[in-house]
Amino acid sequence: MKFTPPSRASSTLGIAMILLVALVTTTLPGQQTATQRGNIAKLVCQMIEANHISQQPIDDRVASRLVDQFIKDLDPQKMYFLQSDIARFNKYRTELDEQLKAGNLDFAYEVFSLFLKRLDERIAKAREFIDAPHDFTVNETMEIDAKDMPWAADVASLDERWRKRIKYDLLLFRLDKDKTSEAEARKRLDKRYKTIRDTMHKTDDDEIFEMYLTALCTSFDPHSSYMAPRTLEDFRIQMELSLEGIGAALRTEEGYTIVAQIVPGGAAALDGRLKPGDKIIEVSNDKGEMTDVVEMKLTKVVDLIRGKSGTIVKLKVIPASGAERVVYELTRQKVELKSAEVKGEILRTNDRLKTEDNLRLGIVHIPSFYRDFRGAENGDNDFKSTSRDVRKVLRDFAAHGGVDCVVVDLRKNGGGALTEAIEVSGLFVDKGPVVQVKNQKGRIKVLEDEETGVDYQGPLVVLTDRLSASASEIFAGVIKDYGRGLIVGDQTTHGKGTVQSVMNVGRQILPLLNPPDQGALKLTINQFYRVNGDSTQNEGVKSDIALPSLLDNYDLGEASLDNAMAFDQIAPARHTQFGQVKPEFVSELRELSRKRVAGNADFQKTDREIARYLARKKRKNVSLNEEELRRERYEEDQKNKEKIDTPDEFAEGPIFPDNSYNNELLNIANDYVHLLREARTAKK
């Protein structure tokens, strides 16, 4: 994950995820002493209170959230701690704030010590259940939604949870297409739980400390965290290397490693099968053997997946769509930056649509808002930047006879440089405010496009989805607020309206000298606001016209994250109104699109897939009856054989593939051009 200073927007979705890159072997900093950790905790508390955008003090409210967050990080599925343990921890809900400020970390080590004790008890019980006989004809279910599930009241209740869990694990092996024998399934499960136990017992005091301070940071917002010296060293190495690996960003949720983002130009993007929302449950190790990664630390999973270009990694995945488990074999490689560059092409409507006239639509695909900061600072005349490349594409359109409409595709664009969001906006709107930024002191700064003139002033359509974040949302917000163009895609964008900065903790001690290596804080320090005064936080930028999309229903938005900062508003900045998107236009375009979508077989399939996904999402339990589960799996497989023509394509190829979703976007652009022409004719 690329962290950026305050002058830049986050270059990724910004949720708790780690970019898979190749790291070189290095000597990492040694263990901190207990005194050092206590002093760091004091400094971190001071830095959070002084610099976090919320300006909220570390008080009893934060202490209470910290208790919940740290426990959840250790036991997300409520499979280890007992209700009596939680009651024991609850007494700290009004004490941790004072303890942390005094450098007292006893709570973290007390909780982790008890966790290891419960872990050993549970793994021993799990191994009993692995060897025990199970009746797969009994009609019983297992709860799968930990959020509403209470903590186990006693050991007997917890034993029952584990009996069902092991039974379900074995049942999944019975249903897998690889036809794992029962003996092999039991052997693999035994190895899984032994690995979980061994991994957790290897957790050292620095790692516990880092987990605890990160839990404190994420009690403020999901993008803030503490990086211990060793993690910071990894981070520094990552920033100096070109991207290698599979090109994906991961997060962890309830014990599963989940794909959060596919990096343009990476191995996963080129392969096209791995999708956001997929759960990775097994990864091949350096010997080619599959390793179970359920409940494994995210950093350990990353260590397994990343590697040198040209080497093979296998991932066993539970698709987000709910389809059969699959194994993907990917060849690790460097991210080809050309695959992440702006691209443009001119499409004629008669080539893809049944239209009365042959409009020329200019497609501008922007995968990220990149900028060669070093080249810009050195005065290089040809440094790479998104705005420069978009300008080239627009001028190329003009050189080839012009276009009737420009379609800017921001789907899956996780953001990038704030400078570029401003400069790209300036290609379509004249001088004026682009984004408002609020700092920790509540001061608001309006950032403007200061360059006179525009490179394109005709009809404009901007395409977004749930993965369009940060800088993408700034650009989409400007176009919407100025009435400059139409926003089409998912219901809304990702909703990340904050900026993080990496602050060296050691510099708080010796700011002018070579500071001691005390780790660093990644802290949310600024918040974005559109020129109309709305925050992009949580709510994102809503589409004028939304199309059915499975991606739109996944829990990928900012609002789905724990402790996400709330949406709010400030005063609008004075700005121009182009009047190119009037309410009556939107209503008519929406109705025309609705009729086409209703009669389209591919969209009907998408609607059915969405309905199936939402039904699965609402389920609180799963059957442990083999015949019933096998029947459900068969029905799902049959339904998933329908070819869904959706925009969720990550494989490289044409920048605007020929499918029903994209063709409907072209239809909307075509209708929009005609409405604008009719309005101009009527005005004359």
Side-chain angles (χ1 to χ4, degrees):
M1 178 175 175
K2 181 179 179 182
F3 299 102
T4 52
S7 60
R8 311 179 201 175
S10 172
S11 64
T12 66
L13 295 182
I15 48 187
M17 54 195 181
I18 298 177
L19 192 63
L20 306 182
V21 298
L23 295 184
V24 297
T25 303
T26 182
T27 302
L28 296 175
Q31 283 274 302
Q32 303 276 1
T33 66
T35 300
Q36 286 176 319
R37 287 191 290 268
N39 289 332
I40 292 170
K42 295 177 189 177
L43 285 171
V44 165
C45 289
Q46 293 168 14
M47 293 170 69
I48 291 174
E49 291 189 327
N51 297 296
H52 193 271
I53 183 67
S54 69
Q55 288 294 282
Q56 180 180 348
I58 296 176
D59 54 16
D60 288 353
R61 289 176 299 170
V62 171
S64 184
R65 289 201 297 266
L66 174 55
V67 170
D68 292 332
Q69 189 65 49
F70 191 58
I71 293 171
K72 182 179 179 182
D73 289 344
L74 290 173
D75 190 5
Q77 294 180 304
K78 299 178 180 175
M79 296 296 290
Y80 297 97
F81 289 128
L82 294 164
Q83 196 175 75
S84 57
D85 298 330
I86 304 304
R88 170 179 165 181
F89 302 148
N90 282 341
K91 69 180 183 180
Y92 289 96
R93 288 187 181 275
T94 58
E95 299 177 12
L96 289 188
D97 48 334
E98 289 90 355
Q99 288 187 9
L100 273 165
K101 290 176 183 179
N104 184 334
L105 304 167
D106 290 350
F107 175 77
Y109 297 104
E110 177 186 334
V111 172
F112 195 82
S113 176
L114 183 57
F115 172 73
L116 289 182
K117 181 174 183 292
R118 295 288 182 250
L119 174 72
D120 290 343
E121 295 167 355
R122 291 298 100 209
I123 299 303
K125 183 58 67 173
R127 298 176 86 168
E128 286 181 25
F129 288 133
I130 289 170
D131 295 333
H134 295 275
D135 186 350
F136 296 104
T137 65
V138 175
N139 288 322
E140 62 177 346
T141 61
M142 180 183 74
E143 282 191 78
I144 55 176
D145 189 351
K147 290 180 182 177
D148 298 326
M149 189 166 61
W151 294 97
D154 49 40
V155 172
S157 300
L158 203 51
D159 284 350
E160 180 63 3
R161 288 186 188 182
W162 276 88
R163 180 190 69 81
K164 290 184 175 182
R165 174 172 174 165
I166 298 302
K167 182 177 180 180
Y168 183 65
D169 287 337
L170 290 168
L171 186 51
L172 291 180
F173 279 115
R174 294 168 75 99
L175 298 182
D176 265 359
K177 289 181 179 178
D178 58 11
K179 304 299 181 187
T180 306
S181 69
E182 186 160 322
E184 177 63 20
R186 292 178 189 274
K187 180 180 177 181
R188 288 170 66 178
L189 270 185
D190 188 73
K191 184 178 180 181
R192 170 193 293 184
Y193 289 108
K194 180 180 183 297
T195 299
I196 292 172
R197 185 197 63 197
D198 293 348
T199 299
M200 295 309 297
H201 272 280
K202 291 176 183 176
T203 305
D204 61 38
D205 287 350
D206 271 5
E207 290 177 304
I208 298 169
F209 174 63
E210 182 176 30
M211 289 169 58
Y212 187 45
L213 287 193
T214 291
L216 170 65
C217 293
T218 53
S219 297
F220 282 81
D221 81 276
H223 305 299
S224 295
S225 63
Y226 169 74
M227 294 183 284
R230 285 182 296 181
T231 305
L232 183 58
E233 184 68 17
D234 275 1
F235 164 72
R236 287 167 178 157
I237 294 169
Q238 291 175 24
M239 292 301 97
E240 294 170 2
L241 297 177
S242 57
L243 300 181
E244 278 187 292
I246 66 168
L250 306 178
R251 62 185 171 91
T252 184
E253 182 178 307
E254 297 187 355
Y256 286 103
T257 297
I258 299 177
V259 177
Q261 184 188 18
I262 302 296
V263 179
L270 293 171
D271 179 81
R273 292 176 293 176
L274 196 66
K275 309 287 186 186
D278 288 354
K279 296 176 180 176
I280 299 173
I281 57 173
E282 291 184 25
V283 179
S284 58
N285 58 28
D286 55 2
K287 297 179 181 178
E289 303 164 335
M290 296 301 285
T291 299
D292 196 305
V293 297
V294 177
E295 290 200 13
M296 186 179 286
K297 289 181 183 178
L298 187 59
T299 51
K300 303 294 185 184
V301 181
V302 171
D303 285 341
L304 284 172
I305 296 177
R306 66 191 174 195
K308 294 181 179 179
S309 292
T311 58
I312 302 293
V313 63
K314 294 180 181 178
L315 310 177
K316 190 166 191 178
V317 169
I318 302 175
S321 63
E324 181 73 35
R325 296 176 178 207
V326 289
V327 175
Y328 299 145
E329 185 175 290
L330 301 174
T331 301
R332 301 179 179 101
Q333 64 177 56
K334 289 185 179 181
V335 172
E336 293 296 334
L337 294 181
K338 286 191 176 294
S339 300
E341 289 179 352
V342 169
K343 293 185 177 69
E345 67 174 324
I346 297 175
L347 297 179
R348 290 181 175 272
T349 53
N350 278 359
D351 293 338
R352 300 272 284 264
L353 313 172
K354 295 178 180 178
T355 58
E356 295 179 359
D357 55 0
N358 195 13
L359 296 184
R360 292 163 58 86
L361 305 180
I363 311 297
V364 183
H365 178 60
I366 306 179
S368 68
F369 287 88
Y370 51 86
R371 182 180 181 88
D372 179 2
F373 281 92
R374 184 177 299 177
E377 290 166 2
N378 291 340
D380 295 350
N381 292 326
D382 58 349
F383 72 86
K384 290 297 295 180
S385 83
T386 300
S387 56
R388 287 180 166 215
D389 289 345
V390 172
R391 174 172 275 143
K392 289 177 185 175
V393 169
L394 294 176
R395 290 179 176 176
D396 186 61
F397 289 165
H400 287 81
V403 293
D404 297 294
C405 178
V406 165
V407 178
V408 175
D409 192 347
L410 297 178
R411 289 174 293 178
K412 305 175 185 70
N413 183 325
L418 175 58
T419 307
E420 291 303 314
I422 294 171
E423 293 188 5
V424 172
S425 299
L427 301 177
F428 300 95
V429 300
D430 208 344
K431 291 178 63 174
V434 172
V435 63
Q436 303 186 79
V437 182
K438 183 173 74 174
N439 68 11
Q440 315 97 307
K441 306 301 181 184
R443 299 192 185 104
I444 296 166
K445 183 176 182 180
V446 179
L447 304 181
E448 301 192 1
D449 164 41
E450 298 178 350
E451 188 174 336
T452 303
V454 297
D455 283 66
Y456 174 78
Q457 55 187 359
L460 177 65
V461 175
V462 178
L463 311 180
T464 61
D465 64 12
R466 283 283 179 176
L467 298 177
S468 304
S470 197
S472 291
E473 296 174 288
I474 290 170
F475 175 78
V478 170
I479 300 305
K480 189 177 182 71
D481 293 343
Y482 276 74
R484 176 64 184 84
L486 199 67
I487 312 298
V488 185
D490 286 351
Q491 294 287 340
T492 190
T493 55
H494 187 78
K496 184 181 184 295
T498 57
V499 186
Q500 287 70 47
S501 177
V502 176
M503 303 176 181
N504 190 305
V505 176
R507 290 198 184 279
Q508 307 304 304
I509 305 170
L510 297 171
L512 301 179
L513 301 175
N514 191 27
D517 204 350
Q518 308 270 358
L521 270 185
K522 179 168 72 77
L523 207 58
T524 298
I525 61 166
N526 288 341
Q527 190 165 351
F528 290 135
Y529 294 84
R530 289 162 48 179
V531 295
N532 73 346
D534 286 356
S535 171
T536 57
Q537 178 65 16
N538 271 0
E539 296 192 6
V541 179
K542 293 181 173 60
S543 292
D544 296 305
I545 302 171
L547 299 180
S549 157
L550 188 59
L551 184 71
D552 201 12
N553 292 275
Y554 292 162
D555 291 331
L556 294 173
E558 179 86 1
S560 68
L561 302 178
D562 289 341
N563 302 320
M565 292 182 63
F567 167 86
D568 67 337
Q569 295 169 304
I570 60 174
R574 183 175 297 177
H575 59 282
T576 306
Q577 265 298 327
F578 285 80
Q580 291 182 314
V581 184
K582 297 179 179 179
E584 58 269 27
F585 288 0
V586 173
S587 296
E588 185 169 348
L589 291 169
R590 196 177 287 156
E591 180 60 21
L592 289 169
S593 178
R594 186 194 65 78
K595 289 178 180 178
R596 284 190 297 265
V597 167
N600 184 285
D602 283 321
F603 277 113
Q604 291 168 7
K605 291 176 184 177
T606 300
D607 285 336
R608 291 194 292 272
E609 179 65 12
I610 290 170
R612 290 196 295 269
Y613 172 75
L614 292 177
R616 288 194 301 270
K617 186 177 174 181
K618 291 177 182 177
R619 290 181 61 172
K620 301 293 183 182
N621 50 59
V622 63
S623 175
L624 296 178
N625 179 289
E626 181 174 0
E627 184 178 343
E628 173 67 16
L629 199 58
R630 193 178 295 279
R631 181 188 62 78
E632 290 179 7
R633 180 72 64 87
Y634 175 78
E635 290 177 356
E636 284 296 325
D637 286 347
Q638 293 302 112
K639 292 171 182 175
N640 284 318
K641 286 179 181 178
E642 285 189 330
K643 186 179 185 306
I644 307 299
D645 204 4
T646 73
D648 302 332
E649 299 295 334
F650 287 84
E652 292 295 309
I655 69 170
F656 209 77
D658 187 351
N659 58 47
S660 293
Y661 190 99
N662 283 344
N663 290 340
E664 177 54 26
L665 295 172
L666 297 180
N667 270 313
I668 292 169
N670 180 73
D671 290 343
Y672 181 45
V673 171
H674 284 292
L675 278 178
L676 287 173
R677 287 178 177 177
E678 290 169 6
R680 283 197 297 269
T681 300
K683 188 175 182 180
K684 289 179 181 178

